[in-house]
Amino acid sequence: MSTNQLVMYEEELEQINAVCQSLHRDSNAIAVLVIDKNGQSIAAAGEVDNLDVTSLSSLTAGNVAATGGIANLLQEKEFAGQFHEGERTNVHISIVAGRMIVVVLFDERSSLGLVRLRVRKAAGALEKILEELFRKSQDSAAANVFAEITDDDIDNLFND
């Protein structure tokens, strides 16, 4: 899958938000975040009002990058999932389509098995949304009439 910048369209953003909210509800989680691998928050659901989403997104992306380095040292492509167990809050992190990171915060009201099951379902839905985004981005790039204009064309235009 491409690692180029991805343009987010409103339709797909609404779909991602719906998947995020569904995952929150179905996994009985405290909160669910969908972020990109650069640490940019894309969607959030649940109890996020008192949560520093920006910092959590950035730190999670850094964690995924660091774990990717470990995977590389072990000649693994990537570790697709991580689990961190806390005294009150547990964190499940999974990579979707090599581009998005789904973070599920949960406590004793849920279980790791339930979260993993629901994340797997949500990941499938998110992968389909990402495929559509890539298709739209490629179509948009192909239709960009400005892409064929070079710096020389602009210089020639103003040198007359």
Side-chain angles (χ1 to χ4, degrees):
M1 193 159 284
S2 173
T3 57
N4 295 334
Q5 285 286 20
L6 189 62
V7 175
M8 183 65 68
Y9 294 92
E10 187 171 336
E11 180 181 357
E12 283 74 21
L13 181 59
E14 288 175 6
Q15 292 172 351
I16 291 169
N17 276 316
V19 170
C20 189
Q21 291 171 1
S22 177
L23 176 58
H24 167 254
R25 182 187 61 247
D26 295 345
S27 65
N28 204 22
I30 298 170
V32 174
L33 305 176
V34 177
I35 61 178
D36 71 10
K37 278 189 139 181
N38 296 322
Q40 181 71 41
S41 177
I42 297 171
E47 301 169 27
V48 294
D49 290 340
N50 295 325
L51 193 63
D52 185 351
V53 173
T54 302
S55 295
L56 184 59
S57 298
S58 296
L59 292 169
T60 301
N63 182 7
V64 167
T67 305
I70 294 170
N72 195 25
L73 287 173
L74 300 174
Q75 298 177 344
E76 291 285 335
K77 180 180 174 193
E78 185 171 64
F79 294 121
Q82 298 178 37
F83 171 66
H84 302 281
E85 185 174 358
E87 288 183 25
R88 294 175 310 226
T89 305
N90 304 310
V91 182
H92 183 274
I93 300 169
S94 57
I95 300 170
V96 176
R99 266 202 103 112
M100 282 186 178
I101 302 167
V102 176
V103 182
V104 179
L105 307 176
F106 64 99
D107 58 16
E108 74 279 350
R109 293 175 290 173
S110 188
S111 68
L112 180 58
L114 178 63
V115 168
R116 281 185 174 156
L117 179 69
R118 300 303 186 192
V119 165
R120 191 172 301 139
K121 179 181 174 186
L126 289 171
E127 285 178 8
K128 289 179 183 174
I129 295 167
L130 278 175
E131 287 174 14
E132 180 61 19
L133 268 176
F134 286 120
R135 189 194 60 72
K136 277 187 174 180
S137 292
Q138 289 173 348
D139 290 350
S140 175
N144 187 351
V145 295
F146 298 109
E148 62 190 37
I149 298 174
T150 66
D151 288 342
D152 289 338
D153 292 335
I154 294 171
D155 288 343
N156 289 334
L157 181 66
F158 292 106
N159 283 336
D160 289 333

